[in-house]
Structure formats: C-alpha cells, structure tokens
Amino acid sequence: MEKKEYDAVILGGGLAGLMAANIVAASGFSVAVVSKVFPTRSHSAAAEGGIAAYVVGNSDPNDDPDFMSYDEVKGGDYLVDQDAAELLSKKSGEIVNLLDAWGAPFNRQPDGRIALRYFGGQTYPRTRFIADKTGMALLHTLFEHSTGFKNIDFYNEYYVLDIVKEGNNVNGMVAMEMKTLDPIYLKSRALLIASGGIGMMYKHTTNSYINTGDGHGIALRSGVALKDPEFVQFHPTGLYPSDILISEAARAEGAILKNNKGERFMARYAPHKFDLAPRDIVSRSMAIEIREGRGFEGGYLGLDLRHLGKKYILERLALAYDAAKNFSGVDASEEMIPVRPAQHYFMGGIDVDITGTNHDLNGIFAAGEAACVSVHGANRLGSNSLLETVVYGRETGNAMVEFLKSHKNVESNSNVEPIIDNAYAYIKRESGEHFGILTEELRDIMWDNVGIFRDNDKLAEAISKIKDLRVRSRSMYVSDKTTNYNTELFNALETRNMIDVAYAMATAALNRTETRGAHFRDDFPERDDKNWMKHTVTYLAGDEIKISYKPVIYTRWKPEARVY
C-alpha cells in the first residue's frame, strides 16, 4: 500500500476545507486535500441564496454585529453558544471583503457596493449574493486561490475509509482511489474533517448524492463525539417532486407561499415575518397546511413569483426558474412553483470548540457542516452556512497552524491493513443483503420517524429498526466485483456511515423531551429551558450510543419567547 506523509490532511474539498487549506499552506505546512468528487463539485456549490455579513459602510445604518448575533441566537432557539455567534458576526464583513478581493463576483448596488437582501430571521437585510449561484461562485473563487499553493496536493475522487490513531493521537487516514480501488495511507499530524452533511439518509432532501455523513461516521468509529445530532433542518422549498432546492432567495425577493385556497398562509403562523420566518417555523407551517388538507394533490404547496415579472426573475433567480422549468415543467413567471419541505442541513456535527478543535482525539479538527461549533444551535438561519464555512474554515486553519507548530509527528506502529480488509469484504462476500435495500429502508425510517414531527413512539421505533439495520449491515455485499470505478462498493461504505450516524441522531432525539428549533416533539410541544438548556454529546460505544451533556455558553442574551 502506498504511503505519503503530510503535515495536515483535510477531508473535503468544499468551502470549509479549501479555506482551511489556504490558511495552513500559507504558513508553509504541507497539505493533502482528499475529496470523493472534484472540489468544485462539492455540495458548497448547491448553496444558492447568499452569505450573511455585517459590512461596515454597506449595511443598514441601524444594524451592527450585536443585532446579527442576537438574530443568530434567537434563530437557534437559544441553544447557540453565544461566543461563537459573536465571532461569526464580527468576522463576517471582513471575510466577505476578503472574498471580494479574491475575485468573487458579487451582485452590486448602483453605487458599486456589494448588494444585499433580507433572509429569514434577520432584523435587517445582510445577505450578500451572486444571483442565486452564490455557493458555486465562492467555491470556484477559493479553489482557484488554493491552486496557487505548491504545498497543497489534491486527491480528487478518493474515498476516506477510516482515521488512523496511535494511542490518543491522530496519525492520518486511509483512503481508496475510486478509479482503481487502490488504497493509500496519508500520514499526518493534524486531520481536518470538512466532509459536509448527512442529507442522503433522508427520503426527501435538497442535498447532493455525496452528502452521506462520511466524516461523522469515521469520527464516531474513532471515539469522537457528535454534538446535538438531534437537530436537523428541513428547508421549506424543495421543488416537487425532485426535492431540488428552490433558494430562500426567492422569498427574499418577494415570492409568496400559498395553499390550495390561494391564501398566504404564513400570515397565520408568523404575522410579523410571514414567509421569511426561520426555516423550522416555515417548514412546520407548510407540513401542517398539507396535513390538514390545504395542500395540492401529491402533497405540496405553491411558491408564487408571478408578480415579480419574468425579467426580474431571470436576473435574480435564474437557477430557481430553470430548475422549476426543467424538473417540474413549470414556468415560474406564469405558474406557481410546486414546493414541499425537504431535509436540508445538519445543525449537529463533530463536537468542536470555537477554534474548530476536537478534544477527544489529539490532532482532530472539524469545520463546516461536518462540525458543530454550536453557532447555529437548534436551527440555522439562511445564508449563515456559507458564512460559517469560510469564517470557521479560517479559524480552524489558524488553530491547525498553531497545533502543527507545537506538535511533532507521532511514530506509528498502527496496522492499517484491517481498514482495507473491512472495505474489501463487501466485494469478497457472495451473499447477504444488498446495500441498496438497507439504504432505502434507512431513508424511509428517518423521514417517517425522525423528521419534521417526532414523538416517543416514532423515535423508539426508529432506534429499534436502525439497530436491526446495523446488525444486517455486517453482511452487506455488492454485486459488482470489478475494481474500475466500483460505485457499488462506495455506496455500501456510505451506507455503513449513514446507519451509525442515524443511530446517534435518533437516540439523541428520543432523549430530548422538549421542542426546540427544528426538533419538534408532538408529545413535548414546549421548550423546556429548565431541563434542556444544554448540548447533547453522543459517543458510539460498541453497539450502544452513550449520551452526556455540556452547557450552552452565554455572553449576554437570556432565553425569551421566540416570536416572529
């Protein structure tokens, strides 16, 4: 097996991984970026609507970073670590100006300043955008910048199998080239997990097929905790029936959600913010409308852009217009776009502090959607995900630099062959259960039982079924026995990761007997600050999920009623 050594290895070529790679490489350290797709195909490209920022001299005159932090804390239903929210807000303008200087083609106001729009839960408009292709444009900007470093090597279309440890120290990771199935051991002192989200474990998701919780899965198997895994965001406007994202930018530009009676129903649920209430509120409101018979046949609602006019739609919302036309046969300038809630974002993730450092395993860092800095709490506000990737990608990169300055390489006596053998077992096995059956069962379980509305019986059933899937997954096999782009093998490995992460998610959701943000319990419909103002910390211990807690960090804002 080939072996190469770097100072730092980064799992994931999206915005968080690339920003960290830039920072670490700029300090003179060698970096390997490992991605199962070409970096510009990372899921960061699917973030459409914009990046939130308070920019001095280019914001509402009444706005300031404190208002922005307060919106984040309230939007996250007070489970947000407030020091993390304040850092995000204070660094937001600086990072947007940096991206602008690096060449990101932001939309402009008539006077040349970067344009901005309202997004859900914002007191003042602060979302900066590049039409409705913001993530894609920023991803290309960062990738172009990173290719200027000679000390960054890219391992594109490599799948990471597991972390290598020596005692309580990380010693790199083992990956497999997807084209050939050849393994490689990438030895390193520091490892950043920036592998994105978990969307494909849900039947309906706006996520790319690559979002299978790989980083979360390998972290759990290595004894690293996931924090707050019960908190999953469902985006209000997934295109029916494909679930392709129709960006919140549409509602920010004036689109209106309507039921089958033509009513602007959000006036009942959020009389002050209407369609731009936080996503958890809008998604639940839509689910109620559909459940109570005010949806259209098939189970969807209408997103009305017609009053905006075709010219304006094509200028500001071209991607939404094209998606509706190509995948639902709808001309958004003449008909309402059919939409329904779909899984969108994972507020939980690998447990890290405000620097992106994990404290379970020496040398492990995480950033982006793979991490839980606790900056989003129980519900993320729209346009804060892109902001988190670049702000905390940079913060985590700086933390990695300081770690590398003070930590020497640990000599490894680890036997990495079992990692390879476990992966090849799916090909060698001639019978058992096909991974596809387990994947589809998991996606149904998560959508039906760990979805928008939850209760004790649903969650207990989910845990029982997931435990069964874990047992059955040990006899998974793939029918393709070739070594040339054997996508079946990687699908099976992804299924293994998704099952373990789902186990942690469902267990944490059953344990939290309250409603908070995106975690809505029909049997516990109220927020319980007395008992549940704390973070869930989950570990995979053999065949069990072990749960502990840590306090929410306060700086200034006490919990209050969350009214929009």
Side-chain angles (χ1 to χ4, degrees), residues 51-61 63-65 68 89-97 113-116 125-126 128:
I51 177 171
Y54 172 79
V55 181
V56 176
N58 185 14
S59 297
D60 188 290
D63 201 7
D64 63 31
M68 185 173 177
S89 302
K90 288 175 181 176
K91 299 285 187 180
S92 62
E94 177 188 323
I95 206 80
V96 163
N97 286 333
R113 293 180 298 165
I114 295 173
L116 69 167
R126 56 179 80 97
R128 321 292 161 157

PDB file of all heavy atoms in Angstrom, residues 51-61 63-65 68 89-97 113-116 125-126 128:
ATOM      1  N   ILE A  51     -24.599  34.867   1.370  1.00  0.00           N
ATOM      2  CA  ILE A  51     -23.752  34.767   2.549  1.00  0.00           C
ATOM      3  C   ILE A  51     -24.015  35.981   3.420  1.00  0.00           C
ATOM      4  O   ILE A  51     -23.886  37.126   2.973  1.00  0.00           O
ATOM      5  CB  ILE A  51     -22.257  34.646   2.151  1.00  0.00           C
ATOM      6  CG1 ILE A  51     -21.351  34.620   3.396  1.00  0.00           C
ATOM      7  CG2 ILE A  51     -21.824  35.737   1.178  1.00  0.00           C
ATOM      8  CD1 ILE A  51     -19.902  34.275   3.081  1.00  0.00           C
ATOM      9  N   ALA A  52     -24.413  35.749   4.667  1.00  0.00           N
ATOM     10  CA  ALA A  52     -24.766  36.839   5.569  1.00  0.00           C
ATOM     11  C   ALA A  52     -23.515  37.570   6.036  1.00  0.00           C
ATOM     12  O   ALA A  52     -22.484  36.949   6.280  1.00  0.00           O
ATOM     13  CB  ALA A  52     -25.534  36.301   6.775  1.00  0.00           C
ATOM     14  N   ALA A  53     -23.622  38.899   6.152  1.00  0.00           N
ATOM     15  CA  ALA A  53     -22.479  39.669   6.657  1.00  0.00           C
ATOM     16  C   ALA A  53     -22.912  41.072   7.055  1.00  0.00           C
ATOM     17  O   ALA A  53     -23.703  41.717   6.350  1.00  0.00           O
ATOM     18  CB  ALA A  53     -21.371  39.759   5.610  1.00  0.00           C
ATOM     19  N   TYR A  54     -22.385  41.524   8.194  1.00  0.00           N
ATOM     20  CA  TYR A  54     -22.458  42.941   8.538  1.00  0.00           C
ATOM     21  C   TYR A  54     -21.188  43.586   8.009  1.00  0.00           C
ATOM     22  O   TYR A  54     -20.082  43.265   8.458  1.00  0.00           O
ATOM     23  CB  TYR A  54     -22.578  43.158  10.052  1.00  0.00           C
ATOM     24  CG  TYR A  54     -22.447  44.625  10.408  1.00  0.00           C
ATOM     25  CD1 TYR A  54     -23.529  45.486  10.247  1.00  0.00           C
ATOM     26  CD2 TYR A  54     -21.236  45.145  10.842  1.00  0.00           C
ATOM     27  CE1 TYR A  54     -23.408  46.840  10.515  1.00  0.00           C
ATOM     28  CE2 TYR A  54     -21.106  46.492  11.117  1.00  0.00           C
ATOM     29  CZ  TYR A  54     -22.190  47.341  10.950  1.00  0.00           C
ATOM     30  OH  TYR A  54     -22.075  48.678  11.211  1.00  0.00           O
ATOM     31  N   VAL A  55     -21.332  44.463   7.029  1.00  0.00           N
ATOM     32  CA  VAL A  55     -20.193  45.122   6.391  1.00  0.00           C
ATOM     33  C   VAL A  55     -20.224  46.601   6.744  1.00  0.00           C
ATOM     34  O   VAL A  55     -21.207  47.290   6.451  1.00  0.00           O
ATOM     35  CB  VAL A  55     -20.230  44.935   4.853  1.00  0.00           C
ATOM     36  CG1 VAL A  55     -19.022  45.617   4.212  1.00  0.00           C
ATOM     37  CG2 VAL A  55     -20.256  43.443   4.494  1.00  0.00           C
ATOM     38  N   VAL A  56     -19.181  47.067   7.378  1.00  0.00           N
ATOM     39  CA  VAL A  56     -19.105  48.489   7.756  1.00  0.00           C
ATOM     40  C   VAL A  56     -19.223  49.357   6.508  1.00  0.00           C
ATOM     41  O   VAL A  56     -18.529  49.130   5.510  1.00  0.00           O
ATOM     42  CB  VAL A  56     -17.784  48.784   8.487  1.00  0.00           C
ATOM     43  CG1 VAL A  56     -17.663  50.277   8.801  1.00  0.00           C
ATOM     44  CG2 VAL A  56     -17.687  47.972   9.773  1.00  0.00           C
ATOM     45  N   GLY A  57     -20.122  50.319   6.550  1.00  0.00           N
ATOM     46  CA  GLY A  57     -20.316  51.211   5.416  1.00  0.00           C
ATOM     47  C   GLY A  57     -21.194  50.645   4.320  1.00  0.00           C
ATOM     48  O   GLY A  57     -21.455  51.320   3.323  1.00  0.00           O
ATOM     49  N   ASN A  58     -21.654  49.416   4.500  1.00  0.00           N
ATOM     50  CA  ASN A  58     -22.512  48.798   3.486  1.00  0.00           C
ATOM     51  C   ASN A  58     -23.532  47.904   4.165  1.00  0.00           C
ATOM     52  O   ASN A  58     -23.682  46.734   3.850  1.00  0.00           O
ATOM     53  CB  ASN A  58     -21.669  47.996   2.495  1.00  0.00           C
ATOM     54  CG  ASN A  58     -22.511  47.447   1.348  1.00  0.00           C
ATOM     55  OD1 ASN A  58     -23.642  47.866   1.139  1.00  0.00           O
ATOM     56  ND2 ASN A  58     -21.958  46.500   0.615  1.00  0.00           N
ATOM     57  N   SER A  59     -24.205  48.455   5.180  1.00  0.00           N
ATOM     58  CA  SER A  59     -25.254  47.756   5.906  1.00  0.00           C
ATOM     59  C   SER A  59     -26.311  48.775   6.296  1.00  0.00           C
ATOM     60  O   SER A  59     -26.089  49.997   6.200  1.00  0.00           O
ATOM     61  CB  SER A  59     -24.692  47.071   7.164  1.00  0.00           C
ATOM     62  OG  SER A  59     -23.748  46.070   6.821  1.00  0.00           O
ATOM     63  N   ASP A  60     -27.462  48.289   6.717  1.00  0.00           N
ATOM     64  CA  ASP A  60     -28.483  49.196   7.234  1.00  0.00           C
ATOM     65  C   ASP A  60     -27.865  50.045   8.350  1.00  0.00           C
ATOM     66  O   ASP A  60     -27.170  49.514   9.223  1.00  0.00           O
ATOM     67  CB  ASP A  60     -29.655  48.380   7.779  1.00  0.00           C
ATOM     68  CG  ASP A  60     -30.842  49.245   8.150  1.00  0.00           C
ATOM     69  OD1 ASP A  60     -30.725  49.982   9.151  1.00  0.00           O
ATOM     70  OD2 ASP A  60     -31.882  49.177   7.466  1.00  0.00           O
ATOM     71  N   PRO A  61     -28.101  51.357   8.362  1.00  0.00           N
ATOM     72  CA  PRO A  61     -27.467  52.211   9.376  1.00  0.00           C
ATOM     73  C   PRO A  61     -27.843  51.854  10.807  1.00  0.00           C
ATOM     74  O   PRO A  61     -27.128  52.227  11.751  1.00  0.00           O
ATOM     75  CB  PRO A  61     -27.950  53.620   9.006  1.00  0.00           C
ATOM     76  CG  PRO A  61     -29.123  53.419   8.106  1.00  0.00           C
ATOM     77  CD  PRO A  61     -28.882  52.136   7.390  1.00  0.00           C
ATOM     78  N   ASP A  63     -28.127  48.676  11.792  1.00  0.00           N
ATOM     79  CA  ASP A  63     -27.611  47.332  12.064  1.00  0.00           C
ATOM     80  C   ASP A  63     -26.230  47.412  12.696  1.00  0.00           C
ATOM     81  O   ASP A  63     -25.523  48.420  12.590  1.00  0.00           O
ATOM     82  CB  ASP A  63     -27.545  46.541  10.756  1.00  0.00           C
ATOM     83  CG  ASP A  63     -27.523  45.034  10.968  1.00  0.00           C
ATOM     84  OD1 ASP A  63     -27.689  44.597  12.120  1.00  0.00           O
ATOM     85  OD2 ASP A  63     -27.348  44.293   9.978  1.00  0.00           O
ATOM     86  N   ASP A  64     -25.840  46.343  13.367  1.00  0.00           N
ATOM     87  CA  ASP A  64     -24.483  46.197  13.887  1.00  0.00           C
ATOM     88  C   ASP A  64     -24.249  44.725  14.200  1.00  0.00           C
ATOM     89  O   ASP A  64     -25.182  43.910  14.141  1.00  0.00           O
ATOM     90  CB  ASP A  64     -24.240  47.079  15.113  1.00  0.00           C
ATOM     91  CG  ASP A  64     -25.113  46.727  16.308  1.00  0.00           C
ATOM     92  OD1 ASP A  64     -25.474  45.540  16.476  1.00  0.00           O
ATOM     93  OD2 ASP A  64     -25.436  47.634  17.094  1.00  0.00           O
ATOM     94  N   PRO A  65     -23.003  44.312  14.515  1.00  0.00           N
ATOM     95  CA  PRO A  65     -22.735  42.892  14.777  1.00  0.00           C
ATOM     96  C   PRO A  65     -23.539  42.319  15.931  1.00  0.00           C
ATOM     97  O   PRO A  65     -23.837  41.117  15.945  1.00  0.00           O
ATOM     98  CB  PRO A  65     -21.231  42.889  15.082  1.00  0.00           C
ATOM     99  CG  PRO A  65     -20.688  44.065  14.358  1.00  0.00           C
ATOM    100  CD  PRO A  65     -21.752  45.111  14.468  1.00  0.00           C
ATOM    101  N   MET A  68     -26.829  41.195  14.652  1.00  0.00           N
ATOM    102  CA  MET A  68     -26.625  39.972  13.875  1.00  0.00           C
ATOM    103  C   MET A  68     -26.472  38.772  14.805  1.00  0.00           C
ATOM    104  O   MET A  68     -27.076  37.711  14.580  1.00  0.00           O
ATOM    105  CB  MET A  68     -25.395  40.126  12.984  1.00  0.00           C
ATOM    106  CG  MET A  68     -25.152  38.955  12.042  1.00  0.00           C
ATOM    107  SD  MET A  68     -23.806  39.323  10.885  1.00  0.00           S
ATOM    108  CE  MET A  68     -23.706  37.750   9.995  1.00  0.00           C
ATOM    109  N   SER A  89     -20.355  36.891  13.655  1.00  0.00           N
ATOM    110  CA  SER A  89     -20.858  38.197  13.238  1.00  0.00           C
ATOM    111  C   SER A  89     -19.730  39.206  13.051  1.00  0.00           C
ATOM    112  O   SER A  89     -19.689  39.949  12.066  1.00  0.00           O
ATOM    113  CB  SER A  89     -21.857  38.725  14.268  1.00  0.00           C
ATOM    114  OG  SER A  89     -22.929  37.830  14.435  1.00  0.00           O
ATOM    115  N   LYS A  90     -18.797  39.242  14.012  1.00  0.00           N
ATOM    116  CA  LYS A  90     -17.725  40.233  13.960  1.00  0.00           C
ATOM    117  C   LYS A  90     -16.774  39.997  12.789  1.00  0.00           C
ATOM    118  O   LYS A  90     -16.180  40.931  12.256  1.00  0.00           O
ATOM    119  CB  LYS A  90     -16.959  40.227  15.281  1.00  0.00           C
ATOM    120  CG  LYS A  90     -17.759  40.835  16.435  1.00  0.00           C
ATOM    121  CD  LYS A  90     -17.033  40.705  17.764  1.00  0.00           C
ATOM    122  CE  LYS A  90     -17.879  41.297  18.901  1.00  0.00           C
ATOM    123  NZ  LYS A  90     -17.241  41.112  20.226  1.00  0.00           N
ATOM    124  N   LYS A  91     -16.615  38.737  12.393  1.00  0.00           N
ATOM    125  CA  LYS A  91     -15.707  38.414  11.289  1.00  0.00           C
ATOM    126  C   LYS A  91     -16.410  38.435   9.926  1.00  0.00           C
ATOM    127  O   LYS A  91     -15.747  38.289   8.893  1.00  0.00           O
ATOM    128  CB  LYS A  91     -15.102  37.025  11.516  1.00  0.00           C
ATOM    129  CG  LYS A  91     -14.282  36.879  12.791  1.00  0.00           C
ATOM    130  CD  LYS A  91     -12.939  37.531  12.683  1.00  0.00           C
ATOM    131  CE  LYS A  91     -12.072  37.228  13.901  1.00  0.00           C
ATOM    132  NZ  LYS A  91     -10.737  37.862  13.812  1.00  0.00           N
ATOM    133  N   SER A  92     -17.730  38.597   9.920  1.00  0.00           N
ATOM    134  CA  SER A  92     -18.485  38.410   8.681  1.00  0.00           C
ATOM    135  C   SER A  92     -18.120  39.422   7.605  1.00  0.00           C
ATOM    136  O   SER A  92     -17.906  39.062   6.437  1.00  0.00           O
ATOM    137  CB  SER A  92     -19.993  38.454   8.974  1.00  0.00           C
ATOM    138  OG  SER A  92     -20.383  39.714   9.505  1.00  0.00           O
ATOM    139  N   GLY A  93     -18.064  40.697   7.958  1.00  0.00           N
ATOM    140  CA  GLY A  93     -17.737  41.711   6.961  1.00  0.00           C
ATOM    141  C   GLY A  93     -16.329  41.563   6.430  1.00  0.00           C
ATOM    142  O   GLY A  93     -16.075  41.696   5.217  1.00  0.00           O
ATOM    143  N   GLU A  94     -15.420  41.251   7.324  1.00  0.00           N
ATOM    144  CA  GLU A  94     -14.021  41.053   6.945  1.00  0.00           C
ATOM    145  C   GLU A  94     -13.872  39.916   5.945  1.00  0.00           C
ATOM    146  O   GLU A  94     -13.139  40.020   4.953  1.00  0.00           O
ATOM    147  CB  GLU A  94     -13.221  40.769   8.217  1.00  0.00           C
ATOM    148  CG  GLU A  94     -11.765  40.456   8.033  1.00  0.00           C
ATOM    149  CD  GLU A  94     -11.117  40.012   9.337  1.00  0.00           C
ATOM    150  OE1 GLU A  94     -11.472  40.564  10.398  1.00  0.00           O
ATOM    151  OE2 GLU A  94     -10.272  39.106   9.286  1.00  0.00           O
ATOM    152  N   ILE A  95     -14.582  38.814   6.173  1.00  0.00           N
ATOM    153  CA  ILE A  95     -14.434  37.653   5.293  1.00  0.00           C
ATOM    154  C   ILE A  95     -15.089  37.896   3.937  1.00  0.00           C
ATOM    155  O   ILE A  95     -14.576  37.462   2.901  1.00  0.00           O
ATOM    156  CB  ILE A  95     -14.989  36.373   5.968  1.00  0.00           C
ATOM    157  CG1 ILE A  95     -14.301  35.114   5.401  1.00  0.00           C
ATOM    158  CG2 ILE A  95     -16.498  36.236   5.809  1.00  0.00           C
ATOM    159  CD1 ILE A  95     -12.960  34.830   5.976  1.00  0.00           C
ATOM    160  N   VAL A  96     -16.209  38.632   3.916  1.00  0.00           N
ATOM    161  CA  VAL A  96     -16.846  38.953   2.631  1.00  0.00           C
ATOM    162  C   VAL A  96     -15.958  39.895   1.821  1.00  0.00           C
ATOM    163  O   VAL A  96     -15.810  39.735   0.602  1.00  0.00           O
ATOM    164  CB  VAL A  96     -18.250  39.541   2.859  1.00  0.00           C
ATOM    165  CG1 VAL A  96     -18.753  40.259   1.612  1.00  0.00           C
ATOM    166  CG2 VAL A  96     -19.223  38.437   3.243  1.00  0.00           C
ATOM    167  N   ASN A  97     -15.343  40.857   2.487  1.00  0.00           N
ATOM    168  CA  ASN A  97     -14.421  41.750   1.784  1.00  0.00           C
ATOM    169  C   ASN A  97     -13.218  40.989   1.251  1.00  0.00           C
ATOM    170  O   ASN A  97     -12.698  41.296   0.165  1.00  0.00           O
ATOM    171  CB  ASN A  97     -13.975  42.886   2.703  1.00  0.00           C
ATOM    172  CG  ASN A  97     -15.065  43.918   2.932  1.00  0.00           C
ATOM    173  OD1 ASN A  97     -15.939  44.100   2.088  1.00  0.00           O
ATOM    174  ND2 ASN A  97     -15.022  44.597   4.076  1.00  0.00           N
ATOM    175  N   ARG A 113     -21.263  49.223  -4.456  1.00  0.00           N
ATOM    176  CA  ARG A 113     -21.117  48.409  -3.252  1.00  0.00           C
ATOM    177  C   ARG A 113     -21.814  47.061  -3.439  1.00  0.00           C
ATOM    178  O   ARG A 113     -22.730  46.927  -4.260  1.00  0.00           O
ATOM    179  CB  ARG A 113     -21.691  49.131  -2.044  1.00  0.00           C
ATOM    180  CG  ARG A 113     -20.919  50.382  -1.643  1.00  0.00           C
ATOM    181  CD  ARG A 113     -21.557  51.039  -0.416  1.00  0.00           C
ATOM    182  NE  ARG A 113     -22.926  51.464  -0.688  1.00  0.00           N
ATOM    183  CZ  ARG A 113     -23.814  51.798   0.252  1.00  0.00           C
ATOM    184  NH1 ARG A 113     -23.473  51.734   1.529  1.00  0.00           N
ATOM    185  NH2 ARG A 113     -25.030  52.173  -0.084  1.00  0.00           N
ATOM    186  N   ILE A 114     -21.386  46.057  -2.655  1.00  0.00           N
ATOM    187  CA  ILE A 114     -21.982  44.719  -2.749  1.00  0.00           C
ATOM    188  C   ILE A 114     -23.462  44.790  -2.386  1.00  0.00           C
ATOM    189  O   ILE A 114     -23.842  45.414  -1.390  1.00  0.00           O
ATOM    190  CB  ILE A 114     -21.240  43.747  -1.818  1.00  0.00           C
ATOM    191  CG1 ILE A 114     -19.781  43.567  -2.279  1.00  0.00           C
ATOM    192  CG2 ILE A 114     -21.937  42.388  -1.774  1.00  0.00           C
ATOM    193  CD1 ILE A 114     -18.934  42.756  -1.308  1.00  0.00           C
ATOM    194  N   ALA A 115     -24.295  44.154  -3.186  1.00  0.00           N
ATOM    195  CA  ALA A 115     -25.744  44.163  -2.967  1.00  0.00           C
ATOM    196  C   ALA A 115     -26.108  43.272  -1.780  1.00  0.00           C
ATOM    197  O   ALA A 115     -25.339  42.390  -1.377  1.00  0.00           O
ATOM    198  CB  ALA A 115     -26.466  43.689  -4.221  1.00  0.00           C
ATOM    199  N   LEU A 116     -27.286  43.532  -1.199  1.00  0.00           N
ATOM    200  CA  LEU A 116     -27.754  42.732  -0.075  1.00  0.00           C
ATOM    201  C   LEU A 116     -29.259  42.572  -0.135  1.00  0.00           C
ATOM    202  O   LEU A 116     -29.967  43.357  -0.754  1.00  0.00           O
ATOM    203  CB  LEU A 116     -27.323  43.347   1.253  1.00  0.00           C
ATOM    204  CG  LEU A 116     -27.928  44.664   1.733  1.00  0.00           C
ATOM    205  CD1 LEU A 116     -27.565  44.887   3.213  1.00  0.00           C
ATOM    206  CD2 LEU A 116     -27.453  45.860   0.935  1.00  0.00           C
ATOM    207  N   PRO A 125     -31.589  43.588   6.560  1.00  0.00           N
ATOM    208  CA  PRO A 125     -31.051  42.805   5.431  1.00  0.00           C
ATOM    209  C   PRO A 125     -29.527  42.773   5.485  1.00  0.00           C
ATOM    210  O   PRO A 125     -28.871  43.804   5.616  1.00  0.00           O
ATOM    211  CB  PRO A 125     -31.545  43.577   4.196  1.00  0.00           C
ATOM    212  CG  PRO A 125     -31.754  44.981   4.679  1.00  0.00           C
ATOM    213  CD  PRO A 125     -32.197  44.857   6.104  1.00  0.00           C
ATOM    214  N   ARG A 126     -28.952  41.555   5.390  1.00  0.00           N
ATOM    215  CA  ARG A 126     -27.491  41.465   5.424  1.00  0.00           C
ATOM    216  C   ARG A 126     -26.957  40.292   4.596  1.00  0.00           C
ATOM    217  O   ARG A 126     -25.792  39.890   4.750  1.00  0.00           O
ATOM    218  CB  ARG A 126     -26.988  41.389   6.869  1.00  0.00           C
ATOM    219  CG  ARG A 126     -27.542  40.290   7.725  1.00  0.00           C
ATOM    220  CD  ARG A 126     -26.945  40.303   9.128  1.00  0.00           C
ATOM    221  NE  ARG A 126     -27.542  41.280  10.001  1.00  0.00           N
ATOM    222  CZ  ARG A 126     -28.511  41.021  10.883  1.00  0.00           C
ATOM    223  NH1 ARG A 126     -29.000  39.796  10.994  1.00  0.00           N
ATOM    224  NH2 ARG A 126     -28.982  41.963  11.655  1.00  0.00           N
ATOM    225  N   ARG A 128     -25.459  38.872   1.364  1.00  0.00           N
ATOM    226  CA  ARG A 128     -24.750  39.260   0.137  1.00  0.00           C
ATOM    227  C   ARG A 128     -24.854  38.091  -0.843  1.00  0.00           C
ATOM    228  O   ARG A 128     -24.818  36.925  -0.435  1.00  0.00           O
ATOM    229  CB  ARG A 128     -23.282  39.559   0.432  1.00  0.00           C
ATOM    230  CG  ARG A 128     -23.066  40.300   1.759  1.00  0.00           C
ATOM    231  CD  ARG A 128     -23.598  41.702   1.745  1.00  0.00           C
ATOM    232  NE  ARG A 128     -23.787  42.227   3.091  1.00  0.00           N
ATOM    233  CZ  ARG A 128     -23.814  43.524   3.382  1.00  0.00           C
ATOM    234  NH1 ARG A 128     -23.668  44.416   2.417  1.00  0.00           N
ATOM    235  NH2 ARG A 128     -24.002  43.927   4.618  1.00  0.00           N
TER     236      ARG A 128
END
